[in-house]
mmCIF file of all heavy atoms in Angstrom:
data_model
loop_
_atom_site.group_PDB
_atom_site.id
_atom_site.type_symbol
_atom_site.label_atom_id
_atom_site.label_comp_id
_atom_site.label_asym_id
_atom_site.label_seq_id
_atom_site.Cartn_x
_atom_site.Cartn_y
_atom_site.Cartn_z
ATOM 1 N N THR A 435 3.144 -1.871 -13.747
ATOM 2 C CA THR A 435 2.221 -1.043 -14.525
ATOM 3 C C THR A 435 1.364 -0.180 -13.603
ATOM 4 O O THR A 435 1.126 1.004 -13.872
ATOM 5 C CB THR A 435 1.316 -1.936 -15.395
ATOM 6 O OG1 THR A 435 2.132 -2.666 -16.321
ATOM 7 C CG2 THR A 435 0.308 -1.097 -16.169
ATOM 8 N N ALA A 436 0.894 -0.782 -12.499
ATOM 9 C CA ALA A 436 0.073 -0.025 -11.549
ATOM 10 C C ALA A 436 0.854 1.150 -10.982
ATOM 11 O O ALA A 436 0.326 2.273 -10.867
ATOM 12 C CB ALA A 436 -0.402 -0.942 -10.426
ATOM 13 N N ALA A 437 2.105 0.934 -10.609
ATOM 14 C CA ALA A 437 2.923 2.005 -10.039
ATOM 15 C C ALA A 437 3.149 3.117 -11.062
ATOM 16 O O ALA A 437 3.077 4.313 -10.729
ATOM 17 C CB ALA A 437 4.257 1.447 -9.559
ATOM 18 N N ARG A 438 3.415 2.738 -12.311
ATOM 19 C CA ARG A 438 3.639 3.743 -13.357
ATOM 20 C C ARG A 438 2.388 4.585 -13.579
ATOM 21 O O ARG A 438 2.452 5.814 -13.660
ATOM 22 C CB ARG A 438 4.044 3.049 -14.656
ATOM 23 C CG ARG A 438 4.264 3.999 -15.826
ATOM 24 C CD ARG A 438 4.750 3.270 -17.064
ATOM 25 N NE ARG A 438 3.827 2.241 -17.509
ATOM 26 C CZ ARG A 438 2.719 2.475 -18.217
ATOM 27 N NH1 ARG A 438 2.397 3.717 -18.543
ATOM 28 N NH2 ARG A 438 1.948 1.485 -18.601
ATOM 29 N N LEU A 439 1.232 3.920 -13.644
ATOM 30 C CA LEU A 439 -0.015 4.652 -13.867
ATOM 31 C C LEU A 439 -0.388 5.504 -12.653
ATOM 32 O O LEU A 439 -0.892 6.627 -12.800
ATOM 33 C CB LEU A 439 -1.148 3.675 -14.183
ATOM 34 C CG LEU A 439 -1.042 2.956 -15.528
ATOM 35 C CD1 LEU A 439 -2.148 1.914 -15.650
ATOM 36 C CD2 LEU A 439 -1.106 3.950 -16.685
ATOM 37 N N ALA A 440 -0.142 4.968 -11.451
ATOM 38 C CA ALA A 440 -0.440 5.734 -10.238
ATOM 39 C C ALA A 440 0.387 7.010 -10.199
ATOM 40 O O ALA A 440 -0.099 8.076 -9.792
ATOM 41 C CB ALA A 440 -0.186 4.892 -8.997
ATOM 42 N N ALA A 441 1.637 6.920 -10.634
ATOM 43 C CA ALA A 441 2.503 8.100 -10.652
ATOM 44 C C ALA A 441 1.970 9.162 -11.604
ATOM 45 O O ALA A 441 2.178 10.357 -11.395
ATOM 46 C CB ALA A 441 3.928 7.704 -11.048
ATOM 47 N N ALA A 442 1.260 8.722 -12.631
ATOM 48 C CA ALA A 442 0.723 9.665 -13.616
ATOM 49 C C ALA A 442 -0.639 10.208 -13.223
ATOM 50 O O ALA A 442 -1.022 11.304 -13.657
ATOM 51 C CB ALA A 442 0.620 8.981 -14.982
ATOM 52 N N ARG A 443 -1.368 9.472 -12.386
ATOM 53 C CA ARG A 443 -2.780 9.796 -12.181
ATOM 54 C C ARG A 443 -3.154 10.275 -10.785
ATOM 55 O O ARG A 443 -4.260 10.776 -10.593
ATOM 56 C CB ARG A 443 -3.630 8.560 -12.507
ATOM 57 C CG ARG A 443 -3.547 8.132 -13.963
ATOM 58 C CD ARG A 443 -4.271 6.815 -14.195
ATOM 59 N NE ARG A 443 -4.273 6.437 -15.606
ATOM 60 C CZ ARG A 443 -4.749 5.289 -16.084
ATOM 61 N NH1 ARG A 443 -5.277 4.406 -15.235
ATOM 62 N NH2 ARG A 443 -4.710 5.027 -17.360
ATOM 63 N N THR A 444 -2.287 10.108 -9.805
ATOM 64 C CA THR A 444 -2.684 10.426 -8.437
ATOM 65 C C THR A 444 -2.151 11.776 -7.968
ATOM 66 O O THR A 444 -1.160 12.292 -8.487
ATOM 67 C CB THR A 444 -2.180 9.360 -7.449
ATOM 68 O OG1 THR A 444 -0.754 9.291 -7.515
ATOM 69 C CG2 THR A 444 -2.760 8.002 -7.746
ATOM 70 N N GLU A 445 -2.832 12.298 -6.965
ATOM 71 C CA GLU A 445 -2.360 13.465 -6.227
ATOM 72 C C GLU A 445 -1.823 12.968 -4.883
ATOM 73 O O GLU A 445 -2.180 11.877 -4.429
ATOM 74 C CB GLU A 445 -3.512 14.447 -5.998
ATOM 75 C CG GLU A 445 -4.122 15.012 -7.278
ATOM 76 C CD GLU A 445 -3.125 15.858 -8.057
ATOM 77 O OE1 GLU A 445 -2.237 16.463 -7.410
ATOM 78 O OE2 GLU A 445 -3.235 15.906 -9.290
ATOM 79 N N PRO A 446 -0.949 13.748 -4.223
ATOM 80 C CA PRO A 446 -0.381 13.299 -2.937
ATOM 81 C C PRO A 446 -1.425 12.851 -1.921
ATOM 82 O O PRO A 446 -1.224 11.866 -1.207
ATOM 83 C CB PRO A 446 0.383 14.539 -2.451
ATOM 84 C CG PRO A 446 0.798 15.220 -3.715
ATOM 85 C CD PRO A 446 -0.353 15.016 -4.662
ATOM 86 N N ASP A 447 -2.559 13.529 -1.882
ATOM 87 C CA ASP A 447 -3.597 13.169 -0.906
ATOM 88 C C ASP A 447 -4.220 11.812 -1.202
ATOM 89 O O ASP A 447 -4.842 11.206 -0.318
ATOM 90 C CB ASP A 447 -4.691 14.234 -0.871
ATOM 91 C CG ASP A 447 -4.207 15.534 -0.248
ATOM 92 O OD1 ASP A 447 -3.131 15.521 0.385
ATOM 93 O OD2 ASP A 447 -4.899 16.564 -0.401
ATOM 94 N N ASP A 448 -4.074 11.343 -2.449
ATOM 95 C CA ASP A 448 -4.657 10.051 -2.818
ATOM 96 C C ASP A 448 -3.859 8.879 -2.260
ATOM 97 O O ASP A 448 -4.308 7.731 -2.358
ATOM 98 C CB ASP A 448 -4.715 9.906 -4.348
ATOM 99 C CG ASP A 448 -5.594 10.961 -5.002
ATOM 100 O OD1 ASP A 448 -6.556 11.394 -4.340
ATOM 101 O OD2 ASP A 448 -5.320 11.329 -6.153
ATOM 102 N N LEU A 449 -2.680 9.152 -1.698
ATOM 103 C CA LEU A 449 -1.772 8.077 -1.284
ATOM 104 C C LEU A 449 -1.830 7.789 0.208
ATOM 105 O O LEU A 449 -1.029 6.995 0.712
ATOM 106 C CB LEU A 449 -0.336 8.442 -1.684
ATOM 107 C CG LEU A 449 -0.126 8.704 -3.179
ATOM 108 C CD1 LEU A 449 1.306 9.166 -3.434
ATOM 109 C CD2 LEU A 449 -0.436 7.460 -3.996
ATOM 110 N N ALA A 450 -2.777 8.401 0.898
ATOM 111 C CA ALA A 450 -2.840 8.233 2.354
ATOM 112 C C ALA A 450 -3.019 6.777 2.752
ATOM 113 O O ALA A 450 -2.370 6.288 3.687
ATOM 114 C CB ALA A 450 -3.975 9.083 2.926
ATOM 115 N N GLN A 451 -3.891 6.041 2.040
ATOM 116 C CA GLN A 451 -4.119 4.647 2.404
ATOM 117 C C GLN A 451 -2.881 3.798 2.151
ATOM 118 O O GLN A 451 -2.540 2.922 2.943
ATOM 119 C CB GLN A 451 -5.305 4.075 1.629
ATOM 120 C CG GLN A 451 -5.632 2.624 1.993
ATOM 121 C CD GLN A 451 -5.914 2.455 3.465
ATOM 122 O OE1 GLN A 451 -6.706 3.205 4.039
ATOM 123 N NE2 GLN A 451 -5.269 1.478 4.099
ATOM 124 N N LEU A 452 -2.192 4.049 1.050
ATOM 125 C CA LEU A 452 -0.959 3.314 0.768
ATOM 126 C C LEU A 452 0.073 3.545 1.874
ATOM 127 O O LEU A 452 0.756 2.615 2.301
ATOM 128 C CB LEU A 452 -0.366 3.744 -0.574
ATOM 129 C CG LEU A 452 -0.830 2.991 -1.824
ATOM 130 C CD1 LEU A 452 -0.226 3.644 -3.055
ATOM 131 C CD2 LEU A 452 -0.462 1.520 -1.767
ATOM 132 N N ARG A 453 0.175 4.789 2.332
ATOM 133 C CA ARG A 453 1.127 5.087 3.417
ATOM 134 C C ARG A 453 0.743 4.345 4.694
ATOM 135 O O ARG A 453 1.605 3.807 5.392
ATOM 136 C CB ARG A 453 1.174 6.588 3.677
ATOM 137 C CG ARG A 453 1.807 7.400 2.559
ATOM 138 C CD ARG A 453 2.092 8.821 3.012
ATOM 139 N NE ARG A 453 2.582 9.620 1.904
ATOM 140 C CZ ARG A 453 1.807 10.363 1.117
ATOM 141 N NH1 ARG A 453 0.495 10.416 1.336
ATOM 142 N NH2 ARG A 453 2.324 11.058 0.128
ATOM 143 N N ARG A 454 -0.550 4.327 5.008
ATOM 144 C CA ARG A 454 -0.990 3.615 6.214
ATOM 145 C C ARG A 454 -0.678 2.128 6.116
ATOM 146 O O ARG A 454 -0.243 1.511 7.093
ATOM 147 C CB ARG A 454 -2.491 3.834 6.430
ATOM 148 C CG ARG A 454 -2.852 5.200 6.991
ATOM 149 C CD ARG A 454 -4.282 5.242 7.492
ATOM 150 N NE ARG A 454 -5.249 5.151 6.407
ATOM 151 C CZ ARG A 454 -5.738 6.198 5.752
ATOM 152 N NH1 ARG A 454 -5.343 7.424 6.075
ATOM 153 N NH2 ARG A 454 -6.628 6.038 4.798
ATOM 154 N N THR A 455 -0.888 1.569 4.945
ATOM 155 C CA THR A 455 -0.622 0.142 4.773
ATOM 156 C C THR A 455 0.870 -0.146 4.878
ATOM 157 O O THR A 455 1.277 -1.155 5.471
ATOM 158 C CB THR A 455 -1.169 -0.337 3.418
ATOM 159 O OG1 THR A 455 -2.585 -0.146 3.405
ATOM 160 C CG2 THR A 455 -0.878 -1.809 3.185
ATOM 161 N N ALA A 456 1.699 0.723 4.310
ATOM 162 C CA ALA A 456 3.146 0.533 4.407
ATOM 163 C C ALA A 456 3.597 0.557 5.865
ATOM 164 O O ALA A 456 4.446 -0.246 6.286
ATOM 165 C CB ALA A 456 3.875 1.614 3.604
ATOM 166 N N GLU A 457 3.020 1.452 6.650
ATOM 167 C CA GLU A 457 3.378 1.520 8.073
ATOM 168 C C GLU A 457 2.795 0.345 8.845
ATOM 169 O O GLU A 457 3.396 -0.137 9.810
ATOM 170 C CB GLU A 457 2.913 2.842 8.667
ATOM 171 C CG GLU A 457 3.663 4.052 8.131
ATOM 172 C CD GLU A 457 5.175 3.865 8.180
ATOM 173 O OE1 GLU A 457 5.697 3.468 9.237
ATOM 174 O OE2 GLU A 457 5.827 4.094 7.148
ATOM 175 N N GLU A 458 1.630 -0.104 8.428
ATOM 176 C CA GLU A 458 1.006 -1.253 9.093
ATOM 177 C C GLU A 458 1.887 -2.491 8.989
ATOM 178 O O GLU A 458 1.932 -3.311 9.902
ATOM 179 C CB GLU A 458 -0.368 -1.518 8.474
ATOM 180 C CG GLU A 458 -1.205 -2.526 9.239
ATOM 181 C CD GLU A 458 -2.582 -2.711 8.626
ATOM 182 O OE1 GLU A 458 -3.054 -1.801 7.912
ATOM 183 O OE2 GLU A 458 -3.182 -3.781 8.870
ATOM 184 N N LEU A 459 2.606 -2.601 7.885
ATOM 185 C CA LEU A 459 3.492 -3.752 7.719
ATOM 186 C C LEU A 459 4.570 -3.773 8.800
ATOM 187 O O LEU A 459 4.955 -4.837 9.293
ATOM 188 C CB LEU A 459 4.141 -3.717 6.325
ATOM 189 C CG LEU A 459 5.078 -4.878 5.988
ATOM 190 C CD1 LEU A 459 4.352 -6.215 6.069
ATOM 191 C CD2 LEU A 459 5.676 -4.697 4.596
ATOM 192 N N THR A 460 5.046 -2.607 9.188
ATOM 193 C CA THR A 460 6.106 -2.566 10.208
ATOM 194 C C THR A 460 5.576 -2.974 11.577
ATOM 195 O O THR A 460 6.356 -3.344 12.457
ATOM 196 C CB THR A 460 6.715 -1.150 10.312
ATOM 197 O OG1 THR A 460 5.729 -0.241 10.825
ATOM 198 C CG2 THR A 460 7.205 -0.667 8.957
ATOM 199 N N GLN A 461 4.249 -2.917 11.764
ATOM 200 C CA GLN A 461 3.647 -3.270 13.047
ATOM 201 C C GLN A 461 3.115 -4.699 13.075
ATOM 202 O O GLN A 461 2.766 -5.201 14.149
ATOM 203 C CB GLN A 461 2.489 -2.307 13.364
ATOM 204 C CG GLN A 461 2.871 -0.837 13.352
ATOM 205 C CD GLN A 461 3.944 -0.503 14.370
ATOM 206 O OE1 GLN A 461 3.915 -1.015 15.488
ATOM 207 N NE2 GLN A 461 4.899 0.340 13.987
ATOM 208 N N ALA A 462 3.014 -5.330 11.916
ATOM 209 C CA ALA A 462 2.437 -6.680 11.848
ATOM 210 C C ALA A 462 3.381 -7.679 12.513
ATOM 211 O O ALA A 462 4.527 -7.838 12.096
ATOM 212 C CB ALA A 462 2.185 -7.067 10.396
ATOM 213 N N ALA A 463 2.875 -8.348 13.529
ATOM 214 C CA ALA A 463 3.749 -9.192 14.356
ATOM 215 C C ALA A 463 3.983 -10.570 13.773
ATOM 216 O O ALA A 463 5.088 -11.110 13.861
ATOM 217 C CB ALA A 463 3.148 -9.321 15.765
ATOM 218 N N ASP A 464 2.966 -11.180 13.173
ATOM 219 C CA ASP A 464 3.125 -12.555 12.689
ATOM 220 C C ASP A 464 3.140 -12.583 11.167
ATOM 221 O O ASP A 464 2.697 -11.653 10.499
ATOM 222 C CB ASP A 464 2.008 -13.458 13.235
ATOM 223 C CG ASP A 464 0.635 -12.989 12.795
ATOM 224 O OD1 ASP A 464 0.216 -13.342 11.668
ATOM 225 O OD2 ASP A 464 -0.015 -12.262 13.562
ATOM 226 N N SER A 465 3.650 -13.672 10.623
ATOM 227 C CA SER A 465 3.859 -13.756 9.178
ATOM 228 C C SER A 465 2.545 -13.742 8.412
ATOM 229 O O SER A 465 2.484 -13.235 7.291
ATOM 230 C CB SER A 465 4.667 -15.013 8.833
ATOM 231 O OG SER A 465 4.020 -16.178 9.307
ATOM 232 N N ALA A 466 1.463 -14.287 8.991
ATOM 233 C CA ALA A 466 0.170 -14.286 8.304
ATOM 234 C C ALA A 466 -0.329 -12.862 8.117
ATOM 235 O O ALA A 466 -0.791 -12.482 7.037
ATOM 236 C CB ALA A 466 -0.847 -15.114 9.079
ATOM 237 N N ALA A 467 -0.239 -12.054 9.172
ATOM 238 C CA ALA A 467 -0.665 -10.651 9.077
ATOM 239 C C ALA A 467 0.223 -9.901 8.085
ATOM 240 O O ALA A 467 -0.258 -9.072 7.309
ATOM 241 C CB ALA A 467 -0.602 -9.993 10.447
ATOM 242 N N ARG A 468 1.510 -10.185 8.108
ATOM 243 C CA ARG A 468 2.432 -9.509 7.197
ATOM 244 C C ARG A 468 2.099 -9.824 5.745
ATOM 245 O O ARG A 468 2.106 -8.935 4.880
ATOM 246 C CB ARG A 468 3.871 -9.927 7.502
ATOM 247 C CG ARG A 468 4.376 -9.432 8.847
ATOM 248 C CD ARG A 468 5.739 -10.011 9.198
ATOM 249 N NE ARG A 468 6.133 -9.623 10.550
ATOM 250 C CZ ARG A 468 7.280 -9.981 11.120
ATOM 251 N NH1 ARG A 468 8.152 -10.730 10.450
ATOM 252 N NH2 ARG A 468 7.562 -9.586 12.354
ATOM 253 N N SER A 469 1.812 -11.083 5.448
ATOM 254 C CA SER A 469 1.517 -11.450 4.064
ATOM 255 C C SER A 469 0.222 -10.800 3.596
ATOM 256 O O SER A 469 0.101 -10.388 2.445
ATOM 257 C CB SER A 469 1.443 -12.974 3.910
ATOM 258 O OG SER A 469 0.340 -13.515 4.602
ATOM 259 N N ARG A 470 -0.765 -10.683 4.510
ATOM 260 C CA ARG A 470 -2.013 -10.031 4.156
ATOM 261 C C ARG A 470 -1.787 -8.556 3.837
ATOM 262 O O ARG A 470 -2.316 -8.022 2.858
ATOM 263 C CB ARG A 470 -3.028 -10.168 5.296
ATOM 264 C CG ARG A 470 -4.260 -10.988 4.923
ATOM 265 C CD ARG A 470 -5.383 -10.921 5.914
ATOM 266 N NE ARG A 470 -5.005 -10.874 7.294
ATOM 267 C CZ ARG A 470 -4.892 -11.939 8.093
ATOM 268 N NH1 ARG A 470 -5.081 -13.149 7.612
ATOM 269 N NH2 ARG A 470 -4.570 -11.799 9.363
ATOM 270 N N VAL A 471 -0.997 -7.885 4.688
ATOM 271 C CA VAL A 471 -0.737 -6.458 4.474
ATOM 272 C C VAL A 471 0.087 -6.247 3.205
ATOM 273 O O VAL A 471 -0.161 -5.310 2.431
ATOM 274 C CB VAL A 471 -0.014 -5.850 5.695
ATOM 275 C CG1 VAL A 471 0.372 -4.396 5.429
ATOM 276 C CG2 VAL A 471 -0.900 -5.925 6.927
ATOM 277 N N TYR A 472 1.067 -7.120 2.989
ATOM 278 C CA TYR A 472 1.906 -7.038 1.788
ATOM 279 C C TYR A 472 1.031 -7.128 0.542
ATOM 280 O O TYR A 472 1.118 -6.304 -0.383
ATOM 281 C CB TYR A 472 2.922 -8.181 1.829
ATOM 282 C CG TYR A 472 4.002 -8.166 0.780
ATOM 283 C CD1 TYR A 472 5.055 -9.080 0.855
ATOM 284 C CD2 TYR A 472 4.000 -7.295 -0.296
ATOM 285 C CE1 TYR A 472 6.070 -9.106 -0.083
ATOM 286 C CE2 TYR A 472 4.999 -7.311 -1.250
ATOM 287 C CZ TYR A 472 6.031 -8.227 -1.138
ATOM 288 O OH TYR A 472 7.026 -8.242 -2.089
ATOM 289 N N GLY A 473 0.158 -8.142 0.506
ATOM 290 C CA GLY A 473 -0.723 -8.294 -0.650
ATOM 291 C C GLY A 473 -1.651 -7.115 -0.813
ATOM 292 O O GLY A 473 -1.898 -6.653 -1.937
ATOM 293 N N ARG A 474 -2.164 -6.600 0.312
ATOM 294 C CA ARG A 474 -3.087 -5.475 0.252
ATOM 295 C C ARG A 474 -2.403 -4.232 -0.315
ATOM 296 O O ARG A 474 -3.021 -3.456 -1.047
ATOM 297 C CB ARG A 474 -3.647 -5.186 1.637
ATOM 298 C CG ARG A 474 -4.882 -4.298 1.591
ATOM 299 C CD ARG A 474 -5.605 -4.303 2.913
ATOM 300 N NE ARG A 474 -4.934 -3.494 3.914
ATOM 301 C CZ ARG A 474 -4.627 -3.906 5.139
ATOM 302 N NH1 ARG A 474 -4.891 -5.135 5.518
ATOM 303 N NH2 ARG A 474 -4.035 -3.100 5.991
ATOM 304 N N PHE A 475 -1.123 -4.044 -0.012
ATOM 305 C CA PHE A 475 -0.389 -2.899 -0.551
ATOM 306 C C PHE A 475 -0.427 -2.921 -2.076
ATOM 307 O O PHE A 475 -0.679 -1.897 -2.726
ATOM 308 C CB PHE A 475 1.057 -2.904 -0.066
ATOM 309 C CG PHE A 475 1.890 -1.798 -0.659
ATOM 310 C CD1 PHE A 475 1.938 -0.547 -0.058
ATOM 311 C CD2 PHE A 475 2.618 -2.003 -1.825
ATOM 312 C CE1 PHE A 475 2.692 0.485 -0.614
ATOM 313 C CE2 PHE A 475 3.380 -0.978 -2.384
ATOM 314 C CZ PHE A 475 3.411 0.267 -1.776
ATOM 315 N N HIS A 476 -0.183 -4.094 -2.651
ATOM 316 C CA HIS A 476 -0.139 -4.180 -4.111
ATOM 317 C C HIS A 476 -1.529 -4.027 -4.729
ATOM 318 O O HIS A 476 -1.667 -3.485 -5.837
ATOM 319 C CB HIS A 476 0.539 -5.481 -4.535
ATOM 320 C CG HIS A 476 2.019 -5.454 -4.316
ATOM 321 N ND1 HIS A 476 2.896 -4.997 -5.265
ATOM 322 C CD2 HIS A 476 2.763 -5.777 -3.234
ATOM 323 C CE1 HIS A 476 4.135 -5.047 -4.784
ATOM 324 N NE2 HIS A 476 4.075 -5.516 -3.557
ATOM 325 N N VAL A 477 -2.559 -4.473 -4.014
ATOM 326 C CA VAL A 477 -3.926 -4.244 -4.487
ATOM 327 C C VAL A 477 -4.243 -2.749 -4.452
ATOM 328 O O VAL A 477 -4.814 -2.190 -5.399
ATOM 329 C CB VAL A 477 -4.936 -5.028 -3.626
ATOM 330 C CG1 VAL A 477 -6.368 -4.629 -3.983
ATOM 331 C CG2 VAL A 477 -4.749 -6.530 -3.819
ATOM 332 N N GLU A 478 -3.865 -2.094 -3.368
ATOM 333 C CA GLU A 478 -4.143 -0.658 -3.233
ATOM 334 C C GLU A 478 -3.322 0.165 -4.229
ATOM 335 O O GLU A 478 -3.759 1.233 -4.673
ATOM 336 C CB GLU A 478 -3.867 -0.203 -1.804
ATOM 337 C CG GLU A 478 -4.908 -0.733 -0.824
ATOM 338 C CD GLU A 478 -4.492 -0.575 0.623
ATOM 339 O OE1 GLU A 478 -3.343 -0.153 0.864
ATOM 340 O OE2 GLU A 478 -5.312 -0.876 1.498
ATOM 341 N N LEU A 479 -2.156 -0.328 -4.588
ATOM 342 C CA LEU A 479 -1.357 0.345 -5.608
ATOM 343 C C LEU A 479 -2.100 0.308 -6.943
ATOM 344 O O LEU A 479 -2.137 1.307 -7.675
ATOM 345 C CB LEU A 479 0.008 -0.340 -5.739
ATOM 346 C CG LEU A 479 1.018 0.280 -6.702
ATOM 347 C CD1 LEU A 479 1.371 1.706 -6.285
ATOM 348 C CD2 LEU A 479 2.292 -0.586 -6.745
ATOM 349 N N ALA A 480 -2.709 -0.839 -7.253
ATOM 350 C CA ALA A 480 -3.511 -0.945 -8.477
ATOM 351 C C ALA A 480 -4.723 -0.025 -8.401
ATOM 352 O O ALA A 480 -5.101 0.603 -9.395
ATOM 353 C CB ALA A 480 -3.943 -2.388 -8.701
#
């Protein structure tokens, strides 16, 4: 639901934080950091 609404309500510039978080996941070395970033992505999507 969050993704559907975000697609209807956001402008490209509003997605900068989501992009940073997605890239941060690729840099997260340990599983604890990865799970935190993963969860944060879904919070930021909402």
Side-chain angles (χ1 to χ4, degrees):
T435 298
R438 178 176 59 80
L439 291 174
R443 296 173 176 175
T444 60
E445 298 296 330
D447 290 346
D448 298 330
L449 302 175
Q451 182 57 49
L452 271 175
R453 291 192 185 93
R454 284 194 291 270
T455 298
E457 292 310 311
E458 190 177 337
L459 181 59
T460 67
Q461 305 300 320
D464 61 84
S465 57
R468 292 173 186 180
S469 67
R470 244 191 323 267
V471 175
Y472 188 172
R474 196 166 76 231
F475 176 87
H476 287 271
V477 172
E478 289 167 354
L479 184 61

